[in-house]
């Protein structure tokens, strides 16, 4: 099942681990996409981040994205959808 958001990550990213832990604690479901393992994922991250592979990048079903957002940023965006 596709979730309301996708979180683009890498295994070594501390900010990714923090955000995933916060999303889990808040009960927010998400699809995790490892940009080092999923073909084409790094290109998506680069597209929304001016050519940079910055993670975590959160992409919502409406196509908008947040880079290294706080839990509050994600919650606000989800409330606006």
């Amino acid at each position: 099942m596709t979730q309301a958001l996708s979180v683009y990550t890498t295994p070594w990213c501390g900010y990714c681990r923090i955000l995933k832990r916060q999303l889990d604690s808040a009960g927010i479901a998400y699809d995790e996409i490892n940009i080092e393992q999923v073909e084409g994922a790094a290109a998506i991250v680069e597209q929304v981040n001016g050519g940079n592979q910055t993670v975590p990048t959160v992409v919502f079903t409406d196509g908008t994205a947040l880079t290294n957002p706080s839990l509050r940023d994600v919650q606000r965006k989800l409330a606006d959808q």
Side-chain angles (χ1 to χ4, degrees):
M1 178 170 114
T2 301
Q3 304 302 330
L5 54 107
S6 297
V7 180
Y8 290 81
T9 67
T10 61
W12 48 264
C13 171
Y15 294 112
C16 297
R17 286 191 295 274
I18 291 167
L19 180 60
K20 292 186 301 180
R21 186 171 47 245
Q22 291 172 336
L23 293 170
D24 292 341
S25 293
I28 299 172
Y30 58 92
D31 291 322
E32 181 179 2
I33 301 163
N34 182 332
I35 69 168
E36 293 180 339
Q37 294 179 344
V38 177
E39 188 171 333
I44 293 169
V45 170
E46 289 172 357
Q47 182 179 18
V48 299
N49 289 300
N52 297 309
Q53 291 185 12
T54 307
V55 290
T57 293
V58 178
V59 178
F60 298 86
T61 55
D62 66 0
T64 60
L66 295 172
T67 303
N68 196 16
S70 67
L71 174 61
R72 184 173 299 218
D73 293 336
V74 173
Q75 289 171 320
R76 281 188 197 128
K77 177 63 182 168
L78 289 173
D80 289 344
Q81 287 190 326

